[in-house]
């Protein structure tokens, strides 16, 4: 006989497993994963990923990363809508993070201001690790400042 306590434990385990899906790396990606991104047209030959998050999805479907020269974010789940952002770091004029610390339902994001006309783009950093968005932002900002 199942008790409410057992059901709650099962639900907790399922939610924990769901939160851990996808790829997240502060040290770059494996050569095989980088090759997959090149094959998908998300990464250029010779580029190396510094930080990466798949936003909890498969590498093919969604991700946000930066290299030594650009910031990339993409979302192409099930062919329903498609978002592709590729911004050269030298074109960025400002970076601001909103970690949404006061909300458990919304993902952190970086607002990227770029281009001569000051376009703004939100790059989401949905992550299972509480510290990952801040680490991603700090590393991105350091790399951006090197390019200025």
């Amino acid at each position: 006989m199942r008790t409410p306590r057992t059901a709650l434990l099962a639900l907790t385990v399922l939610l924990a497993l769901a939160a851990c899906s996808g790829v997240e790396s502060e040290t770059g990606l494996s050569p095989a994963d980088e090759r997959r991104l090149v094959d998908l047209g998300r990464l250029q030959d010779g580029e190396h990923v510094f930080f990466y998050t798949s936003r909890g999805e498969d590498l093919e479907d969604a991700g946000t990363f930066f290299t030594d020269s650009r910031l990339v974010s993409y979302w192409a789940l099930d062919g329903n809508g498609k978002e592709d952002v590729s911004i050269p770091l030298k074109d960025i004029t400002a970076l601001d993070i909103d970690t949404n610390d006061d909300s458990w339902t919304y993902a952190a994001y970086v607002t990227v201001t770029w281009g001569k006309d000051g376009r703004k783009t939100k790059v989401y950093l949905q992550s299972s690790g509480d510290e990952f968005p801040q680490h991603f932002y700090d590393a991105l900002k350091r790399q951006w400042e090197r390019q200025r």
Side-chain angles (χ1 to χ4, degrees):
M1 183 170 162
R2 287 196 174 136
T3 65
R5 186 175 185 180
T6 304
L8 180 60
L9 178 61
L11 179 61
T12 302
V13 169
L14 286 174
L15 289 174
L17 289 173
C20 294
S21 66
V23 179
E24 193 171 285
S25 174
E26 294 185 24
T27 58
L29 293 175
S30 70
D33 283 342
E34 283 191 351
R35 183 79 245 156
R36 283 175 40 205
L37 286 175
V38 169
D39 292 344
L40 292 167
R42 307 282 183 209
L43 188 65
Q44 298 169 3
D45 267 325
E47 271 188 311
H48 296 287
V49 174
F50 290 159
F51 265 63
Y52 182 90
T53 179
S54 66
R55 297 160 85 174
E57 302 297 335
D58 289 333
L59 188 100
E60 288 83 6
D61 295 326
T64 299
F65 65 88
F66 68 91
T67 69
D68 62 340
S69 62
R70 64 191 180 109
L71 171 65
V72 175
S73 185
Y74 60 95
W75 179 266
L77 282 177
D78 302 325
N80 296 331
K82 190 173 185 178
E83 170 192 314
D84 288 308
V85 174
S86 177
I87 304 170
L89 296 179
K90 63 182 177 55
D91 291 350
I92 295 173
T93 57
L95 293 169
D96 297 297
I97 189 169
D98 187 339
T99 58
N100 277 314
D101 286 337
D102 57 344
S103 172
W104 60 272
T105 58
Y106 296 107
Y109 61 88
V110 174
T111 300
V112 181
T113 306
W114 61 288
K116 293 180 181 181
D117 58 353
R119 284 177 273 180
K120 291 186 185 278
T121 302
K122 288 182 181 177
V123 176
Y124 289 91
L125 300 173
Q126 184 172 343
S127 168
S128 60
D130 292 336
E131 301 296 319
F132 184 84
Q134 187 66 50
H135 291 300
F136 184 99
Y137 170 77
D138 292 342
L140 172 62
K141 191 167 184 176
R142 281 192 302 274
Q143 186 62 31
W144 167 59
E145 288 171 345
R146 287 184 194 119
Q147 298 295 317
R148 292 171 55 182

